Amino acid sequence: MSPDELVYLGILAASVPVGFLFRYLSPPVKQGAALLLGLIISIATCGLHTLHSLCTVLGTWLIIKINWRSSPALSLGWTFLYLLFFRLVTWFGLPQPTPFANAIQLLLTLKMVSLANEIQSYHLEKKKEVSAFTKSPVVGGLSHEPSLYDIMSYSYCYVGIMTGPFFRYQTYADWLQQSNPLSLPGKEPCLQRLKMVPVYGALFIAVNSVFPLSYVRTDEFLEHNYFYRFFYMVAIFFVFRMRFYSAWCGAEAGCISAGLGCYPHGALSKPGGGPTVKYSPDPNTAVEYDFKTIQNIDCYNTDFCVKVRHGMRYWNMTVQWWLHNYIYPNTPFRAYALRAGWTMLISAYWHGLHAGYYLSFLTIPLCIAAESAMEASVRARLGPMGQNIFDWIHWFLKMRAYDYMCMGFVLLKASDTINYWSSIYFIIHIIAVVCIAVGQMMKGGKKRERRERGEGEKEDVVREKAE
């Protein structure tokens, strides 16, 4: 493991016991302590680069104060433009930010855009309440506009400051105002989330030592046979998954120990978004709680869901919620594949400027279009047994598609990514294009059959009338 990874591991490991201590604090003390601890982590790991995140927070606060109506769009523009400056600071003679500063900046970007949307919703609902003389039915809305101190506290809250998961301001406010944090579940769900982390970590270290990513960039790698080169991406994506499974499960455990994102099961919470319905528990029955709001990874479904589009749903779930609610609805296209492509483009930009991100993320809409074409033209015509076989083949291809796209994500450079993809003859791109073509041909054949059947029925009617 690299020194940076050891620092991440140390922060994750410390956040779990610290979280349990925060359950004993009153709301004001909890807010101040979480802010102080977050600032200590930020300054200790980022140094002067902490100023980048501070500028982002203050800029967003000013935008909200000046024009709350347009703050969602303006804050998105501001934070994404600052990301561009942040990544190109060396062009201006400034020092390169640390990886820790990058991690904080990424999560802060999500928080600031979400905050602007929440405050806009708050003001709009208040206006409706005044005009209609009724309380707003919106679930999870703010009760007041956050002050600058509140925004700073939310931005630098130590929970997930580097590793995520993303959570809304309302989730943070609910955490501060928990009436009896010590009575909420903690130890059992925390251990449940941590039990597989040693396994994921051990597999990450073991497989990474046998299949190092750096080997892909060597000339010797290209001398191996096709099947070895093809299998290598399977191993690389396995290492990639084990790394993030262990990190995100550990990050979730840090939230659970602090009680962040704990809501009644009946609130039907969504990862990232929180409760979706107003829930009033029966005083005569025990209330069940869950931590769905801060769930960032569903390891089983990531591996075993059938479709490419579903694979995105179970990976980095809180960020997927952010993209689905703040980016996807505002895309300038109507077709699902194009809207997904636009959303993936924004996601790639959020991750960084490396060409590998764009090559990988923009392959996803192609794969989605391919699976949609085959589902409509092939699977729909099959019986139960045929559909079962189709789904197994679909799952296999879905995993290979993510293996393939992962290479761009980790190799980063366009040249390295294209060199690897060309070494396996751009197999996933070719399969996707062939599936789309076959789907279109079968769709055309189906329309022709339907038209011929309709013409035949008309001829039968005419013949019957003539008789």
Side-chain angles (χ1 to χ4, degrees):
M1 295 180 73
S2 68
D4 288 348
E5 287 174 329
L6 290 174
V7 172
Y8 279 117
L9 179 61
I11 292 172
L12 284 174
S15 68
V16 177
V18 168
F20 285 110
L21 296 177
F22 268 78
R23 291 179 177 238
Y24 290 91
L25 304 179
S26 64
V29 177
K30 184 193 289 188
Q31 182 177 12
L35 169 60
L36 179 62
L37 185 54
L39 284 172
I40 290 172
I41 293 172
S42 180
I43 294 170
T45 56
C46 307
L48 283 174
H49 298 296
T50 303
L51 292 173
H52 289 296
S53 57
L54 183 61
C55 286
T56 306
V57 174
L58 293 176
T60 305
W61 172 70
L62 279 173
I63 287 170
I64 292 169
K65 281 295 179 185
I66 294 169
N67 189 353
W68 63 262
R69 287 183 180 277
S70 302
S71 62
L74 293 174
S75 64
L76 180 65
W78 157 246
T79 55
F80 271 52
L81 280 173
Y82 198 93
L83 269 181
L84 182 63
F85 168 73
F86 177 82
R87 287 158 179 162
L88 300 176
V89 288
T90 54
W91 289 19
F92 301 92
L94 298 174
Q96 181 71 37
T98 66
F100 307 109
N102 182 62
I104 291 173
Q105 195 70 26
L106 288 178
L107 285 161
L108 197 62
T109 298
L110 304 182
K111 284 183 173 181
M112 294 299 96
V113 174
S114 177
L115 177 67
N117 278 272
E118 288 183 82
I119 291 176
Q120 183 200 55
S121 296
Y122 163 76
H123 283 290
L124 292 176
E125 292 305 318
K126 288 297 287 184
K127 283 182 174 292
K128 288 180 183 178
E129 288 180 10
V130 171
S131 60
F133 300 102
T134 57
K135 189 166 180 62
S136 170
V138 172
V139 177
L142 301 181
S143 59
H144 65 277
E145 183 175 346
S147 65
L148 177 58
Y149 175 67
D150 292 332
I151 293 173
M152 290 287 293
S153 302
Y154 167 58
S155 302
Y156 288 104
C157 176
Y158 85 94
V159 183
I161 189 170
M162 286 183 183
T163 55
F166 158 77
F167 50 88
R168 298 190 310 136
Y169 178 83
Q170 184 60 57
T171 303
Y172 168 76
D174 290 343
W175 174 61
L176 294 180
Q177 299 302 323
Q178 287 169 342
S179 57
N180 189 6
L182 291 172
S183 67
L184 299 175
K187 184 178 179 181
E188 185 177 340
C190 191
L191 292 174
Q192 185 70 19
R193 208 58 183 140
L194 287 172
K195 69 178 182 181
M196 288 298 294
V197 169
V199 177
Y200 297 144
L203 288 172
F204 161 68
I205 293 170
V207 180
N208 188 49
S209 65
V210 179
F211 297 96
L213 176 65
S214 57
Y215 187 54
V216 177
R217 298 187 177 97
T218 64
D219 294 333
E220 184 183 347
F221 174 79
L222 299 176
E223 296 173 3
H224 288 282
N225 63 62
Y226 177 85
F227 294 102
Y228 178 87
R229 299 196 302 268
F230 183 88
F231 174 76
Y232 213 91
M233 71 177 186
V234 179
I236 291 295
F237 186 46
F238 181 82
V239 169
F240 186 81
R241 296 201 310 279
M242 294 305 106
R243 179 188 180 194
F244 280 96
Y245 286 177
S246 55
W248 283 337
C249 286
E252 287 179 35
C255 294
I256 293 169
S257 66
L260 178 69
C262 185
Y263 291 100
H265 185 69
L268 304 179
S269 299
K270 287 187 176 182
T276 58
V277 299
K278 290 187 176 180
Y279 178 71
S280 299
D282 186 343
N284 299 320
T285 59
V287 179
E288 292 185 18
Y289 292 90
D290 63 42
F291 289 88
K292 290 283 186 184
T293 300
I294 51 85
Q295 184 181 1
N296 208 34
I297 186 71
D298 185 331
C299 303
Y300 177 84
N301 280 311
T302 295
D303 283 352
F304 294 105
C305 69
V306 173
K307 301 179 183 182
V308 171
R309 62 167 64 90
H310 291 168
M312 293 188 297
R313 184 182 302 169
Y314 299 116
W315 176 271
N316 207 357
M317 297 164 75
T318 58
V319 175
Q320 296 302 329
W321 180 91
W322 187 92
L323 288 168
H324 180 75
N325 283 271
Y326 301 134
I327 302 300
Y328 183 81
N330 300 314
T331 55
F333 308 104
R334 288 190 176 183
Y336 175 78
L338 292 176
R339 298 183 84 180
W342 177 265
T343 305
M344 291 301 100
L345 179 64
I346 298 299
S347 181
Y349 176 82
W350 177 74
H351 279 87
L353 299 179
H354 296 288
Y357 293 142
Y358 299 86
L359 291 170
S360 295
F361 277 110
L362 294 179
T363 301
I364 291 176
L366 180 68
C367 294
I368 290 174
E371 69 181 6
S372 298
M374 294 302 288
E375 284 175 337
S377 62
V378 178
R379 191 181 188 277
R381 299 184 179 189
L382 301 175
M385 178 65 73
Q387 289 186 352
N388 191 41
I389 295 171
F390 179 95
D391 288 344
W392 275 107
I393 296 171
H394 191 172
W395 168 79
F396 177 81
L397 291 174
K398 182 265 300 188
M399 291 303 295
R400 302 296 74 80
Y402 277 117
D403 296 336
Y404 185 83
M405 290 182 284
C406 176
M407 296 305 291
F409 201 91
V410 296
L411 288 171
L412 298 178
K413 290 184 178 180
S415 57
D416 291 340
T417 302
I418 292 172
N419 284 343
Y420 176 76
W421 283 354
S422 64
S423 77
I424 57 171
Y425 310 125
F426 297 97
I427 185 66
I428 296 300
H429 282 102
I430 290 172
I431 290 174
V433 171
V434 168
C435 286
I436 292 171
V438 169
Q440 289 297 318
M441 286 189 292
M442 294 186 70
K443 184 179 178 181
K446 196 172 182 180
K447 286 182 178 178
R448 192 160 47 251
E449 289 175 10
R450 197 181 300 118
R451 186 169 58 251
E452 289 173 355
R453 192 182 304 117
E455 290 174 356
E457 289 174 355
K458 287 180 180 179
E459 289 175 1
D460 290 341
V461 171
V462 172
R463 193 178 299 112
E464 289 175 3
K465 287 182 178 180
E467 292 173 355

